[in-house]
Amino acid sequence: MEALLNLWHATGIANFTFPALIMIAVGCLLLYLAIARNFEPLLLLPIGFGAILTNIPLAGLSDPGGLLYYVYHIGIDTGVFPLLIFMGVGALTDFSALIANPRMLLLGAAAQFGIFATLFGAILLNYVPGFEFTLQDASAIAIIGGADGPTAIFLASKLAPDLLGAIAVAAYSYMALVPIIQPPIMRALTTPEERQIKMPQLRTVSKKEKIIFPLMVLSLTILFLPAATPLVGMFCLGNLMRESGVVDRLSNSAQNEIINITTIFLGLAVGSKLAADKFLTIETIGILVLGALAFSIGTASGVFMAKGMNKFSKSPINPLIGAAGVSAVPMAARVVNKVGLENNPHNFLLMHAMGPNVAGVLGSAVAAGILLALVG
Amino acid sequence: MNIGELLATAANLMATGMVGVFVFLSLLISAIVLMSKVASRFEQPIDIPARAPSIKAQGVPDAHIAAISAAIAQYKNKQKL
């Protein structure tokens, strides 16, 4: 009889706690979003599964000695995984649209206002009882507005590891929601005439320029913002491997195998941070609200900047492309293209939107570097 | 630190951050413009002589030339019959 009782105590059913069950349900919700709704499946699937694994009673996957514990410490605590992903993103990014029209960097800069406005908003939220965000917490939450998963995880792991799970889930969920969040804001801030503006075709960019570009970005970062060199450095390495054309094998590995393997473990490790005691807090709700705010403000400020530039520029600039300044490559650029086509079926904005889009990646990496330098 | 002081710091950070991002990316703009100018200056003298002598360099791939020649040959054969 005693043996039977011991066996009962070793089952999951006897050991479930209510919060852990809720978190397993959250994990299942993420799996549903990934599989049935196709929301950022590459990340939400491993994150959702990680959330289920970490909340299994008795298995202790996230306790010292457990698999997820090691994966988290090796990959995220050290900042290695987000940086490896950034190398892959660099190898996947084509900067020709930006080199052909470098002024687009201003749009990528303007959209970062979403980050800094949210930082202010997060501190403002401290007036609501139950919220106690420090400046570090607020910075890590604000970076959701950069719409760049690896950057958000990198910064959160350095500034606010406790909030990492919620921040990563918010960042990836909102990136998946870009086609829903952005168009209403874009339509509200522009007139139909503005949305129909056609932009001149971009010039072709020589291979030489493409090779010099990553080296130049790296040199500027070294000179002015060394705090951003982990992110920018890995990004430039990936891009140089792509553009140099002499290490196709390495570039292909960075774009495929390395980024894929890292994504699996990054997702699992982020999921392991979705433990009940860390996630089922009022702060998580605050983070979700602030994340949506960050995206919206970033989109709006990008559009406003593009409108301003259109007024003063010789060649016309369609204000819609400002919305692509919030990285989220290439989703945001596709959304711009789609909204543009609604108003003029012959106006393809995709290539023009790729400029601010990749500028947004650089912009959020720079913003992360500034936050690390000032707050970290 | 109370909330008021935190807010002041956050506002400060917002201003510094935005200025920082804009300054950095503006520097990058001027660097790109400069680089494109220099690169285009080096490009031309190498490109023009390379292009002039051969017809192939005008961007017609060999496969296309082969296909077109085959089509012409076929057409001529048909005409004979």
Side-chain angles (χ1 to χ4, degrees), chain A residues 115-149:
Chain A
I115 294 180
F116 293 103
T118 308
L119 200 162
F120 193 74
I123 297 291
L124 210 59
L125 209 58
N126 280 347
Y127 279 114
V128 180
F131 288 102
E132 274 177 40
F133 289 131
T134 62
L135 218 49
Q136 279 81 0
D137 295 344
S139 311
I141 297 167
I143 201 75
I144 297 174
D148 194 278

Side-chain angles (χ1 to χ4, degrees), chain B:
Chain B
M1 229 194 289
N2 64 26
I3 300 179
E5 284 172 44
L6 270 179
L7 273 180
T9 326
N12 201 350
L13 207 59
M14 182 158 87
T16 339
M18 279 318 282
V19 170
V21 170
F22 266 102
V23 167
F24 187 89
L25 294 184
S26 306
L27 275 173
L28 192 54
I29 294 178
S30 7
I32 295 176
V33 171
L34 196 74
M35 172 191 76
S36 300
K37 271 193 189 142
V38 174
S40 68
R41 200 167 289 169
F42 281 104
E43 206 92 320
Q44 273 158 355
I46 306 164
D47 256 8
I48 294 167
R51 258 186 213 164
S54 88
I55 303 166
K56 273 187 184 173
Q58 283 180 352
V60 184
D62 287 346
H64 287 190
I65 293 174
I68 293 167
S69 318
I72 293 173
Q74 216 170 32
Y75 177 76
K76 280 183 178 167
N77 276 343
K78 273 185 190 166
Q79 292 296 88
K80 274 179 202 163
L81 293 170

